[in-house]
């Protein structure tokens, strides 16, 4: 896999991971509805720390969250910030359809599931999540899981892409 493709996989997957991190820590239940709530001060801190990624938090903030809405917001964000801007038009859909991207996202979701109790002990920065995830990916079990996901050709993680 070339560096440009790998870089795109990392950037696109980071968007999905950030949205997952937001849902993990900042979703509030109101009956059967789930809403992400971030104060203006917290949104400002996210902007300062994560720059452009904070747009996802702004777009999701104070809205009733559904899987479809989350996917649409992330897909729109990726389209507006990466496809046809940072990468040539049409490149990002190829990334979204790739085994590498799908294995990365499924691997991340598996990691969250396996470490949910640890992650739930206190609110960790998104950077810390990425750091811990990258450490996990270096373990023998994680390498086996991710290789299996790549070899088995898992597709369609994005859902709307």
């Amino acid at each position: 896999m070339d560096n440009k493709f790998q870089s795109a996989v990392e950037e696109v997957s980071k968007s999905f991971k950030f949205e997952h991190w937001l849902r993990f820590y900042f979703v509030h239940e109101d009956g059967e509805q789930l809403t992400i709530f971030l104060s203006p001060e917290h949104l400002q801190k996210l902007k300062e720390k994560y720059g452009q990624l904070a747009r996802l938090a702004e777009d999701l903030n104070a809205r009733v969250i559904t899987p479809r809405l989350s996917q649409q917001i992330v897909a729109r964000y990726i389209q507006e910030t990466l496809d046809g801007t940072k990468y040539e038009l049409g490149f990002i859909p190829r990334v979204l359809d790739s085994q590498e991207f799908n294995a990365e996202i499924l691997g991340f979701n598996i990691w969250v599931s396996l470490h949910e109790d640890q992650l739930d002990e206190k609110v960790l920065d998104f950077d810390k999540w990425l750091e811990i995830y990258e450490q996990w990916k270096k373990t023998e079990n994680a390498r086996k899981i991710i290789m299996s996901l790549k070899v088995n050709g898992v597709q369609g993680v994005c859902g709307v892409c």
Side-chain angles (χ1 to χ4, degrees):
M1 181 169 29
D2 68 21
N3 288 341
K4 177 179 157 186
F5 192 84
Q6 182 58 43
S7 176
V9 167
E10 289 172 18
E11 283 193 83
V12 171
S13 67
K14 189 173 185 177
S15 303
F16 282 88
K17 293 170 186 174
F18 189 76
E19 183 273 338
H20 193 128
W21 173 79
L22 288 168
R23 281 187 293 109
F24 190 87
Y25 287 123
F26 304 107
V27 164
H28 299 276
E29 289 185 50
D30 183 15
E32 299 214 2
Q33 295 183 329
L34 304 175
T35 305
I36 289 181
F37 178 76
L38 298 159
S39 68
E41 296 81 16
H42 199 163
L43 280 172
Q44 184 59 37
K45 287 179 184 177
L46 291 176
K47 284 182 197 177
E48 291 167 7
K49 187 158 188 167
Y50 300 111
Q52 195 166 272
L53 265 178
R55 277 185 46 197
L56 289 169
E58 291 174 313
D59 290 348
L60 291 165
N61 195 35
R63 296 184 68 178
V64 174
I65 301 302
T66 64
R68 181 154 176 77
L69 176 67
S70 290
Q71 289 172 341
Q72 288 172 337
I73 287 173
V74 173
R76 184 179 67 225
Y77 170 82
I78 291 166
Q79 181 182 27
E80 291 173 357
T81 60
L82 299 175
D83 197 33
T85 54
K86 186 165 185 175
Y87 299 94
E88 68 268 11
L89 193 60
F91 186 76
I92 296 302
R94 291 195 309 266
V95 170
L96 291 166
D97 287 337
S98 72
Q99 290 179 341
E100 291 81 6
F101 169 76
N102 285 291
E104 178 67 15
I105 292 300
L106 285 174
F108 182 78
N109 291 337
I110 289 168
W111 169 76
V112 170
S113 294
L114 292 173
H115 297 88
E116 190 170 348
D117 291 341
Q118 175 191 0
L119 297 171
D120 211 19
E121 288 176 9
K122 65 179 182 173
V123 176
L124 299 173
D125 278 350
F126 178 60
D127 288 338
K128 188 66 176 173
W129 266 42
L130 295 180
E131 178 187 323
I132 296 168
Y133 172 62
E134 289 300 320
Q135 290 171 355
W136 175 78
K137 280 178 31 179
K138 294 175 184 173
T139 67
E140 185 176 341
N141 281 344
R143 286 194 310 266
K144 287 179 184 176
I145 290 168
I146 291 169
M147 183 57 66
S148 173
L149 293 171
K150 287 180 182 179
V151 168
N152 292 323
V154 178
Q155 294 291 315
V157 173
C158 178
V160 296
C161 308

